[in-house]
Amino acid sequence: MRVIRKYANRRLYDTQQSRYVTLEDLRRLIIEEEPFRVEDAKSGEDLTRTILLSIIIEQEQADSEAEVFSNDLLAQLIRVYDMSSPLPLSRYLEQGTQLMLEQQKRMQNQWKNAIRHSPIEFMRELAEENMRFWQNTLNQPTQKDDDDKSDKGS
């Protein structure tokens, strides 16, 4: 895994390439599915999540046409943090986003091989996949459910 060190002057240093990098460089690594970890140069603390959030903020500000997070969605996310028993939102977002990306790749491949399947058949397959995903996701016990079961067993 590539290690990126963040210095007090806010500069990011790629230890593999021995050069300073920008958030844009890290965004390209993400797109290329190159794993990396950002750590504080002094303490070694993992700062990856903070840097990923910075990349998202930069993306959101760069192009209002490609906005992913509306004001309403951001307000709803903030409300989730204030819930006494927060939803397992992270799992749903990760799995839902992964499903969407996989389906996008499938759709692109399907258009390239349009002769193989009819568009109606392809849409039926996507609908079935979506149904299976949400049935499996909604039937999975949450961490809180697991904790409750272990508390009852004690």
Side-chain angles (χ1 to χ4, degrees), residues 3 8-9 21 23 26 39 42 51 54 58 64-67 82 98 103 110-111 126 132:
V3 174
N9 63 4
V21 294
L23 290 179
L26 297 182
E39 62 184 37
K42 205 174 206 179
I51 295 299
S54 296
E58 195 171 89
S64 61
E65 296 292 319
E67 179 180 282
D82 199 41
Q98 184 63 39
Q103 287 183 347
Q110 200 64 27
W111 285 115
L126 281 180
R132 281 192 304 275

Side-chain angles (χ1 to χ4, degrees), residues 17-124:
Q17 293 186 339
S18 300
R19 70 178 187 94
Y20 287 101
V21 294
T22 64
L23 290 179
E24 178 60 26
D25 295 323
L26 297 182
R27 189 183 75 79
R28 271 192 240 106
L29 290 177
I30 294 166
I31 290 169
E32 295 166 2
E33 299 184 21
E34 172 88 26
F36 65 87
R37 178 181 192 271
V38 180
E39 62 184 37
D40 183 271
K42 205 174 206 179
S43 69
E45 177 187 359
D46 186 356
L47 303 174
T48 308
R49 189 166 180 261
T50 303
I51 295 299
L52 293 174
L53 287 167
S54 296
I55 292 169
I56 289 171
I57 290 169
E58 195 171 89
Q59 287 282 147
E60 286 285 313
Q61 292 173 339
D63 185 4
S64 61
E65 296 292 319
E67 179 180 282
V68 172
F69 296 99
S70 68
N71 291 343
D72 288 339
L73 177 58
L74 291 170
Q76 290 171 0
L77 289 172
I78 291 167
R79 286 184 198 106
V80 167
Y81 284 98
D82 199 41
M83 296 173 75
S84 60
S85 187
L87 299 170
L89 189 59
S90 174
R91 185 180 76 207
Y92 293 130
L93 288 175
E94 287 173 13
Q95 291 176 348
T97 303
Q98 184 63 39
L99 175 67
M100 181 187 69
L101 292 172
E102 288 170 5
Q103 287 183 347
Q104 182 181 20
K105 284 181 184 176
R106 276 187 62 205
M107 197 176 291
Q108 288 170 348
N109 290 336
Q110 200 64 27
W111 285 115
K112 291 176 185 173
N113 303 317
I115 297 171
R116 203 170 72 190
H117 289 296
S118 72
I120 293 173
E121 177 67 15
F122 177 64
M123 294 308 286
R124 184 190 62 73

